[in-house]
Amino acid sequence: MKSIIALSAILSTGLAATIPSNAHSQIHKRAPVCSFEDHTFNDKNAWTTTSDVSKRDLGQTTWNPPSNLVTPLKQVWDHEIKTYSNPLGFKNYGYDQVIDGKGKINYCVRWEGTATVTAAQRAKVETAIRRQFSKWIAILAGFEKFPYKTVDVNVVGWAVKNKSQLQGDTSGIQVYTTTDSEGIPECDPKCGRFFHQNNDYSQCAAGEARHYDQSLWLTPGFEGGAGGDWGQRVGQDYFMQNLDTDNIHIVLHELGHTFALDDFYDWTPTGVTNFIMLAGSAMEITEFDAWMARDWWRNLKSRYNL
Ligand SMILES: *[C@@H]1O[C@H](CO)[C@@H](O)[C@H](O)[C@H]1NC(C)=O
């Protein structure tokens, strides 16, 4: 399978037929294991190197990448346009969600397994995902009319097997104990952006304010990660052990997929060797990652009233 599979969602839903078999929203109706295996085949062994290069000169506010990045950026863009289906027509990239949300992004956590979570841990999970999301926003801020310096990221819900796993005060969150068709805790699809890309949450019992744009899916024993327009999935142990880590690099990589970026398992652009989307080659968003994301933004921005 192609590297692009890493973008695929692993949601079980009846929407598969209505969404193009698209890298950013691809879903496998009742067959999540397929994309899961394909994905981890790719990502699983990818996080072994620790080389870290992130020379950044991101003060530019227009498309003016450093000369050494011009060729590889063009290669990446051409490759994405060639291999994604409907790359410029797809409307649920992270950019779309940030704009539609007017600078506010809601998360729901899918907490797999039987571990308990304290209120303090939940607060840290929220801070951690907010910090990661903000790192992508930071490299877009002020560039080509990207309108937000920061994005207000909040965790509005948790899905667990048993409510008793959530210790302490849960009044500030929506608690779900429903599951997807695989029996995995799932936040109500009626409240999810992935399922309601027209932003109509009138059927969301939790109320529109607690709709969620992104899922943070934490799975015990999960290696590597998966990411797409629906959210990010990483190992629960990995995430919880890295709550205080500034750059939770697998999450940053998966968030890159949310923002339309590709994997590089089968090829690499000329002259760049360390960047977050080349899994395992960098521990933080690099200058090259930033310009790849900026390339998307500059090519999508005409769809917004900026
Ligand atoms: C949830 O966990 C509690 C405490 O362990 C238990 O008493 C209860 O039966 C569980 N509920 C369900 C639906 O499994």
Side-chain angles (χ1 to χ4, degrees):
M1 296 281 264
K2 300 166 55 181
S3 66
I4 205 166
I5 204 73
L7 288 152
S8 61
I10 311 170
L11 297 180
S12 301
T13 160
L15 294 181
T18 60
I19 295 182
S21 171
N22 177 300
H24 329 289
S25 69
Q26 188 174 358
I27 50 182
H28 298 263
K29 189 180 179 185
R30 310 203 190 292
V33 173
C34 170
S35 62
F36 169 84
E37 287 182 348
D38 289 340
H39 183 76
T40 49
F41 169 77
N42 288 328
D43 264 0
K44 195 168 176 177
N45 301 311
W47 315 101
T48 50
T49 64
T50 54
S51 165
D52 193 8
V53 177
S54 80
K55 176 176 146 310
R56 304 208 298 188
D57 173 19
L58 296 171
Q60 323 270 352
T61 56
T62 55
W63 183 254
N64 184 24
S67 55
N68 62 314
L69 299 185
V70 169
T71 294
L73 284 167
K74 171 121 178 38
Q75 291 169 337
V76 168
W77 181 257
D78 289 346
H79 189 266
E80 288 166 337
I81 293 302
K82 197 171 91 190
T83 56
Y84 289 11
S85 72
N86 198 18
L88 296 174
F90 183 77
K91 293 255 168 62
N92 201 33
Y93 294 118
Y95 314 96
D96 300 305
Q97 298 185 24
V98 166
I99 298 297
D100 280 357
K102 300 186 168 58
K104 194 164 156 47
I105 289 288
N106 286 347
Y107 264 87
C108 197
V109 176
R110 302 183 68 179
W111 183 261
E112 259 191 273
T114 55
T116 56
V117 204
T118 65
Q121 285 175 314
R122 291 196 295 280
K124 284 199 147 195
V125 166
E126 180 176 52
T127 305
I129 191 61
R130 180 182 291 149
R131 188 170 66 248
Q132 306 314 302
F133 201 97
S134 300
K135 287 179 185 292
W136 281 107
I137 297 304
I139 56 90
L140 295 166
F143 176 76
E144 299 262 356
K145 297 194 173 155
F146 186 85
Y148 301 108
K149 279 207 180 69
T150 58
V151 165
D152 185 17
V153 175
N154 295 287
V155 173
V156 297
W158 281 68
V160 288
K161 192 164 191 236
N162 185 325
K163 194 168 178 172
S164 68
Q165 290 171 263
L166 299 175
Q167 300 176 340
D169 181 16
T170 56
S171 61
I173 52 172
Q174 196 69 27
V175 177
Y176 299 101
T177 52
T178 41
T179 59
D180 66 14
S181 64
E182 308 296 317
I184 299 170
E186 179 185 51
C187 312
D188 187 352
K190 292 194 175 79
C191 304
R193 158 85 186 195
F194 180 81
F195 307 93
H196 298 276
Q197 294 176 22
N198 61 356
N199 299 309
D200 178 1
Y201 300 109
S202 56
Q203 301 304 305
C204 171
E208 179 172 0
R210 284 188 177 177
H211 86 275
Y212 60 95
D213 304 291
Q214 294 275 299
S215 290
L216 176 62
W217 186 350
L218 303 177
T219 301
F222 189 85
E223 290 185 62
D229 61 324
W230 49 272
Q232 304 80 41
R233 184 186 196 186
V234 297
Q236 189 177 103
D237 29 1
Y238 169 76
F239 196 89
M240 298 309 282
Q241 281 161 16
N242 284 287
L243 288 175
D244 295 319
T245 303
D246 186 21
N247 293 284
I248 308 178
H249 72 95
I250 299 180
V251 175
L252 289 175
H253 173 102
E254 304 309 335
L255 269 165
H257 294 319
T258 304
F259 285 100
L261 301 185
D262 204 357
D263 273 317
F264 295 89
Y265 296 116
D266 52 354
W267 75 288
T268 46
T270 305
V272 278
T273 51
N274 299 89
F275 51 104
I276 201 85
M277 297 315 294
L278 180 62
S281 72
M283 297 295 111
E284 61 186 294
I285 297 169
T286 68
E287 184 176 43
F288 187 63
D289 295 302
W291 284 102
M292 286 195 296
R294 289 172 166 200
D295 211 354
W296 277 101
W297 172 256
R298 76 179 175 124
N299 279 287
L300 296 178
K301 65 176 183 174
S302 65
R303 46 166 88 161
Y304 314 116
N305 293 316
L306 298 170

